[in-house]
Amino acid sequence: MLFLIAFVIFGAVGGFMVNSFMEGRSSLGSGLTIGLGIAGSFILGILLLIFGKALVGDGPDFLVALLASAVGAIILPLIVIIVKK
């Protein structure tokens, strides 16, 4: 349960960072960008928790999954912004 809360927090912060860095260049709006950050955080974090044994070795540590969720929170909004242009 703790990792779900962490994924939401990391996703919201990552989405907010993307929104603040892309201000003026992105027409997505802050709500959608933060929502995409949370979605990206869940997607990459959960995938690493599920398939981590094959990707990382002994299985993902919680911190590795959090790092992946932070990366996912930044990548998914950027992909949507690039595709939308």
Side-chain angles (χ1 to χ4, degrees):
M1 183 67 172
L2 179 64
F3 67 90
L4 293 176
I5 296 169
F7 288 168
V8 170
I9 292 171
F10 273 71
V13 169
F16 179 75
M17 286 183 356
V18 169
N19 187 44
S20 64
F21 288 135
M22 299 297 287
E23 189 174 326
R25 291 177 248 159
S26 168
S27 62
L28 293 179
S30 61
L32 184 59
T33 308
I34 292 172
L36 285 170
I38 293 172
S41 173
F42 269 102
I43 291 169
L44 205 54
I46 296 294
L47 282 176
L48 188 66
L49 284 176
I50 292 171
F51 299 112
K53 191 166 192 90
L55 297 174
V56 179
D58 253 347
D61 193 18
F62 181 65
L63 294 175
V64 174
L66 282 180
L67 179 64
S69 74
V71 170
I74 294 171
I75 289 176
L76 185 63
L78 287 177
I79 289 172
V80 171
I81 289 170
I82 290 169
V83 169
K84 190 173 179 190
K85 285 185 179 187

